[in-house]
Amino acid sequence: MSSNRRGVGLSAFTRNHISTAQYASHGNALRSAQSDSLQTQLSVFQSLLHQFSITHAKDIRSNPTFRAEFARMCNAIGVDPLASSNAGGGKAESGGSFWAQMLGGSVNDFYFELAVRVVEVCRDTRAENGGMIAVAEVRQRVQKGKGIGGGMEVSDDDVLRAVDSLRPLGSGFTIMKLGHNQMIRSVPKELNTDQSTVLEAIQVLGYVTLSMLQINLSWERARSIAVIDDLMADSLVWVDKQAEETEYWSPTFIHDTGGQ
Amino acid sequence: MASTSAAGPSNNKPFQFPPHYAFPPFFTLQPTLSTRTSQLHSWSQLIQAYCRHHHLFSLTLIDALATPLFHNAPLRRQLSARDARAIVDWMSSAEGDSRAEWIGAAPKKAAATAAAAADGDEDTRGRFWVFWRKPEEWAGVLEAWVDATGQRGSVLTLYELAESDATANQEFHGIDAELLQRSLMVLVKRGKAQMFGGEGEMGVKFF
C-alpha cells in the first residue's frame, strides 16, 4: 500500500525502512507458525508410523504383500527405509537410522539378508546363464533355499529392493528389462544394442535362429553371426544343434519350461 | 538297462527329471567353456540321480543312449554318443569328482561290447560305473549297516550282503559284485574287515 505512495523528503527513507521491517517480521511470524504446525503434523505422523510399524513389525517381516504395500507407502511419502539407514540420522533425532530405531532394524536387516541370498544365487548360476537371471527365478530359488534361514517368503518386489540396497557397494548388480521380464545382471558388462535386441527377441519364443534374425531384423548374416557369437561367449545363450536350423536358446528358459 | 542284473525294490514313482531336461540345448554340448562346465555338472547330477532312482550301478553307453536318460523323445532331442562319452570322461576326471569310471575289460558283457565294436566305437569303452556313491562311500554305508545290525565279528558272504532279504531295503541291495568287492577292499585296507574265500563264494568278516 505504502509502496505506491511516494514520500517526499528524507522521511521517506525511514518510512520505507520501517515498512520493510514490518513485512519481514510478519513473514517470520507466518513462517514459524507454519513450521510449528508442520512440526506437530510430522511428529504426530511419526508417532503414528512408529506405532503402526511396531504393531505390524511381525507382518512386515513375514508377509510379502504387506511388506510390499508398506514399502510402497513409504516410497509415496518420500521415506526410503533403506536409504535412511545410510543417511546416518538425517531424519532421526539422536543419531542412528530412523528406521532402525522405529523397527528395531528389522526391515533393513530383512533386505540385507535377502540381498546376500540374491548375490549367492547369482554367483551360483553365473556359469549357466552368464550372469543374467530373471527376477522371478531368483525369487523361486531364494524361497527354495536350503541354507540357514532359507525358504524366506519374498516377492519380486522384495528382490528388486534388495538388489537396490546393494548399490552403495558398487557391486555392479543392475536390474534391466528384457521384453517384459525383469532381469538381474550380475556381471558388469554393457550389452550393445544388437545384443539386447537379440536377447529381447529370445524372450518371446525362448530361442532365435540366424534366419529369424535376418528376416525379422533385416540384418545381414555376418552381423547376426557376430552378435550370436558374442552372446555365446558370454554364456548368455546356449546352442541347440539338433533342431532343423541351429537354435540359440536363453538359459532363462531352463526353468520356465521345466517347471512342473 | 542291460548292465544291472537284480533290480532293487522296484520304484513305482517315475523319475523326476530336472528342469534342464526340457531345455533343448542341454542335449548339445556347449562350445563355450564356462557354459560347458556348468552343463557337465548338470549332466553329472542328472546321471547320478537317474541311476540312484533306478538302482543302477553301471551303464552301457550304447544301450543308455536309447533310454530316456539320454533321449528326450517328446522333445526330439538326444545326446550323441560322442557327447555322452565326453560327459562320462568328464565325470571320471578329478574335476568331475570321479563320479564315473570306464570299465576296462568287461567279459561278462561281451554282447554289449561287441555291439559297441560293431558300431565302430572305441570297443572296450562301452560300459562305465556311475558312482552315485563312490567305493569309499559304499564302504561307509556297509560299515554303518553292519554296525547298526550288530554283525561285527560275524562272517557274511558277499552274496548275502547283496542279495539276502536282510538287506532288501538297503541302498546296496543288488549291488554289482565287482563294485561290492571294491568297496569292501576299502574296508580291508583300513583294517576294518577281512576278506577270504575264492571264486564264487567269498566271505567277509567285519571287525
Side-chain angles (χ1 to χ4, degrees):
Chain A
M1 15 167 190
S2 54
S3 57
N4 293 337
R5 201 180 334 135
R6 270 223 163 178
V8 191
L10 282 177
S11 63
F13 287 111
T14 2
R15 198 163 47 235
N16 216 337
H17 201 78
I18 289 165
S19 60
T20 347
Q22 272 170 346
Y23 277 132
S25 74
H26 191 63
N28 272 339
L30 274 179
R31 226 188 336 258
S32 73
Q34 224 163 29
S35 86
D36 271 355
S37 86
L38 261 180
Q39 199 90 55
T40 16
Q41 269 181 29
L42 203 66
S43 66
V44 168
F45 171 72
Q46 204 164 331
S47 71
L48 281 177
L49 198 59
H50 185 50
Q51 256 178 1
F52 179 84
S53 57
I54 285 173
T55 351
H56 297 283
K58 227 172 137 194
D59 286 328
I60 291 174
R61 267 189 86 79
S62 60
N63 182 345
T65 358
F66 191 89
R67 183 167 55 239
E69 286 304 322
F70 183 72
R72 205 159 298 139
M73 181 185 82
C74 290
N75 250 353
I77 56 180
V79 182
D80 184 353
L82 290 171
S84 55
S85 74
N86 301 327
K91 289 188 188 101
E93 304 93 322
S94 54
S97 150
F98 175 68
W99 283 107
Q101 278 186 345
M102 292 255 247
L103 306 175
S106 65
V107 170
N108 282 328
D109 288 352
F110 174 84
Y111 283 112
F112 294 150
E113 260 170 55
L114 180 57
V116 172
R117 287 283 134 64
V118 171
V119 173
E120 279 172 3
V121 168
C122 289
R123 282 183 51 108
D124 283 352
T125 57
R126 197 172 286 172
E128 187 171 282
N129 57 31
M132 176 111 75
I133 188 166
V135 170
E137 165 74 17
V138 172
R139 173 176 52 79
Q140 278 170 15
R141 278 171 179 264
V142 168
Q143 276 170 342
K144 267 195 277 176
K146 299 180 201 89
I148 306 158
M152 289 162 112
E153 270 292 309
V154 293
S155 64
D156 286 3
D157 194 66
D158 289 330
V159 175
L160 293 179
R161 246 168 251 284
V163 173
D164 224 36
S165 73
L166 291 171
R167 209 173 21 194
L169 301 174
S171 52
F173 279 68
T174 45
I175 305 283
M176 57 182 288
K177 249 179 123 56
L178 266 187
H180 27 241
N181 284 347
Q182 276 185 305
M183 315 289 284
I184 299 173
R185 185 96 171 92
S186 62
V187 174
K189 184 174 180 270
E190 288 295 318
L191 293 175
N192 63 35
T193 0
D194 280 8
Q195 289 169 337
S196 338
T197 313
V198 171
L199 286 179
E200 253 174 63
I202 288 181
Q203 297 301 314
V204 181
L205 271 178
Y207 69 93
V208 291
T209 64
L210 288 179
S211 55
M212 277 164 68
L213 293 181
Q214 283 171 259
I215 294 166
N216 291 307
L217 302 169
S218 42
W219 284 358
E220 283 177 28
R221 194 176 166 77
R223 180 174 177 189
S224 313
I225 292 176
V227 176
I228 291 286
D229 279 354
D230 275 357
L231 289 174
M232 279 230 293
D234 286 342
S235 303
L236 288 170
V237 298
W238 287 41
V239 60
D240 174 20
K241 288 179 184 153
Q242 293 179 44
E244 265 170 53
E245 189 191 348
T246 304
E247 290 172 359
Y248 299 92
W249 286 75
S250 159
T252 48
F253 276 76
I254 289 179
H255 307 281
D256 281 354
T257 48
Q260 305 92 18
Chain B
M1 229 142 294
S3 32
T4 321
S5 44
S10 62
N11 271 310
N12 304 329
K13 272 184 282 168
F15 178 66
Q16 188 104 47
F17 281 99
H20 293 87
Y21 189 68
F23 185 59
F26 192 51
F27 293 85
T28 302
L29 270 193
Q30 298 301 306
T32 310
L33 189 67
S34 62
T35 323
R36 190 189 178 94
T37 311
S38 142
Q39 187 185 18
L40 289 168
H41 263 293
S42 304
W43 265 114
S44 170
Q45 271 165 14
L46 168 57
I47 294 171
Q48 287 176 52
Y50 184 88
C51 288
R52 182 191 295 260
H53 182 88
H54 292 288
H55 221 76
L56 302 168
F57 299 93
S58 66
L59 293 176
T60 306
L61 192 65
I62 292 302
D63 296 342
L65 283 174
T67 65
L69 174 60
F70 290 136
H71 186 185
N72 186 340
L75 202 67
R76 286 187 292 135
R77 292 291 181 275
Q78 99 185 84
L79 206 62
S80 71
R82 203 165 54 117
D83 286 354
R85 191 167 291 125
I87 289 170
V88 178
D89 279 343
W90 183 83
M91 282 172 76
S92 316
S93 70
E95 200 192 347
D97 197 24
S98 313
R99 285 291 166 185
E101 191 179 298
W102 292 105
I103 302 173
K108 280 184 295 177
K109 305 290 181 245
T113 22
D119 211 35
D121 284 309
E122 294 149 84
D123 42 354
T124 54
R125 304 188 70 199
R127 203 162 75 96
F128 56 94
W129 297 115
V130 177
F131 293 143
W132 39 282
R133 282 191 201 289
K134 295 190 219 177
E136 306 89 77
E137 291 163 350
W138 280 119
V141 173
L142 287 164
E143 206 190 351
W145 177 75
V146 167
D147 227 8
T149 50
Q151 299 189 77
R152 263 173 208 278
S154 54
V155 176
L156 294 158
T157 64
L158 265 56
Y159 180 82
E160 261 181 293
L161 271 176
E163 309 293 345
S164 77
D165 291 343
T167 63
N169 52 4
Q170 296 299 313
E171 268 189 320
F172 54 82
H173 187 77
I175 190 171
D176 192 289
E178 208 179 323
L179 181 58
L180 178 59
Q181 272 190 36
R182 237 173 103 173
S183 311
L184 289 172
M185 280 313 288
V186 175
L187 289 177
V188 171
K189 266 195 204 125
R190 286 187 198 150
K192 299 273 184 64
Q194 194 187 356
M195 271 176 32
F196 41 78
E199 280 301 306
E201 200 52 41
M202 293 197 33
V204 61
K205 183 177 180 179
F206 293 90
F207 307 125

